[in-house]
Every structure is written in structure tokens, then in C-alpha cells.
Amino acid sequence: MPDAANLYLFIVAATLLLIVPGPNMAFVTSHALAHGWRAGFAAALGISFADVLMTALVSAGIGAVVMSWAPAFEVLRLAGACYLIWIAWQALKAPAATASGQPQLASFRKIFARGTLNSLLNPKALLFFMVFLPQFVSVTGGNVSLQLMFLGALLALIALLFHTALGIFAGQLRGKLGGGKIARCLGIYGFAGIMAALAARLLFLDRPL
């Protein structure tokens, strides 16, 4: 286990990184605005599950092997962008409203899978874990792989708590907007727009040197 000083710095750094607006924050917020706070929680859970999976890849050394293959970054980048565009298209072509005039709700399982895949198909997310986690490993803390898994699990937990709170807030905002025109725009067109913007962000990513 990392020493107390490294652990404290890790928690502070992880919290500060989460506060900075980014694609995960947009992903959770857009789902909560479109489908309610439970959707925000499902997206948060999917993102944290992906965090654990990427930690396992880094801990086992697989992440370094994958990213050492030159086309890997491009493959993940393009696959992630295509997936986000597909989500946006599905949102636009789905029935715009139910009998009550509200956007059709997506299932918890589907949103969880979206959150997981969105993170796994982001090459910078894997690179982030490869660079960020090892900085807080203690040379006297025992098995390095176990330390990495512990740090990754802790990061996933912190992210889950933060994104869940964000999803609840966005879900409450959705409730206050009610069923009017603003809510429908945020629910369908706003959601599709955010997914398309995230896809564009991936398309224009440059591979770090």
C-alpha cells in the first residue's frame, strides 16, 4: 500500500482533476439531463468500472504493450469517435417523445455500457492511467502491481462519488425544467449535440509525444 504522504497527495490530485470540466463530466451531465439522475448514476458507474479495467491493464503491463503499437492510439481514437456519433444518431432517430411528451428513457444497463465503452475507447484515458498512477507508488510499499490496483480502485471510487453527485444535481435541474420546450431540447438535441462534440474532440486529438 502507498505511504500516507503519497496517498494524501493522490486523493488531492484526483479530486482536483475531477473538478476540472472534461469529457466524463459532460457525459454524465448530458445523460442525467436527458434521462434523469439514475441515468447519471449509471453513466458514473460505467466510467468507474472502466477506470478499474484500465488500472488492471496498466498493472499487468498490457496498457504499455497496447500503446507501444503505433496504430493503437489511432484505432482507439477513431473507434471512440464513431461510437459517440452512433449514440448521437440513435438519440436523434429514436421516438422523440412518449405519450407524456418526454424523451424516451434509456435503460440503466445500456447507459452503464455506454459509460464503460466511452472511457475504454478514449486513448488518452489509458495514457493518463499509465502516467498518473505510477507517480504515487511507494518504493517501500510492497508489490507495485497491488499498489497500482489499490490506487486505481480508489480513483474509481472518488470518481464515482463525484460523478454521482453531478448526476443528481443535473437530474434535479432536469426536474425543475419540467416538460417544456427547454427540457425537450436538453433531453434530445442537447444530448445528441454533446455526444457529437465529444466525438469531434476525439477526432482532433493529437497523439502525445
Side-chain angles (χ1 to χ4, degrees):
M1 181 174 177
D3 58 56
N6 274 347
L7 195 57
Y8 174 76
L9 288 174
F10 177 80
I11 293 172
V12 172
T15 303
L16 291 175
L17 285 170
L18 286 168
I19 293 173
V20 177
N24 285 343
M25 186 181 291
F27 194 87
V28 171
T29 302
S30 61
H31 277 82
L33 286 172
H35 305 290
W37 72 267
R38 290 179 180 82
F41 174 68
L45 199 60
I47 291 170
S48 289
F49 181 62
D51 289 348
V52 173
L53 292 179
M54 285 187 284
T55 299
L57 291 175
V58 171
S59 178
I62 299 174
V65 173
V66 171
M67 296 311 293
S68 66
W69 182 51
F73 186 90
E74 294 301 319
V75 169
L76 289 174
R77 181 176 67 88
L78 292 175
C82 289
Y83 178 67
L84 288 169
I85 291 172
W86 180 81
I87 292 177
W89 171 246
Q90 290 296 310
L92 289 174
K93 80 169 190 174
T98 61
S100 63
Q102 292 297 326
Q104 187 176 17
L105 299 182
S107 70
F108 188 98
R109 182 181 300 178
K110 181 183 292 185
I111 295 172
F112 171 83
R114 284 178 182 176
T116 302
L117 284 174
N118 179 59
S119 290
L120 292 178
L121 293 176
N122 184 349
K124 277 203 168 180
L126 181 56
L127 287 171
F128 167 78
F129 274 78
M130 291 170 58
V131 173
F132 182 69
L133 294 182
Q135 298 180 51
F136 301 93
V137 170
S138 173
V139 293
T140 60
N143 188 290
V144 171
S145 294
L146 290 179
Q147 288 189 66
L148 288 172
M149 285 302 301
F150 173 80
L151 290 171
L154 180 58
L155 177 60
L157 177 60
I158 296 171
L160 178 61
L161 294 174
F162 175 80
H163 289 135
T164 297
L166 184 65
I168 291 173
F169 173 79
Q172 289 178 339
L173 177 61
R174 175 181 182 268
K176 290 180 179 179
L177 291 173
K181 184 177 180 180
I182 295 177
R184 287 195 293 273
C185 288
L186 287 174
I188 296 177
Y189 300 107
F191 173 79
I194 290 173
M195 293 301 103
L198 291 176
R201 176 183 176 274
L202 275 180
L203 286 174
F204 288 101
L205 274 183
D206 290 325
R207 181 183 176 90
L209 298 177

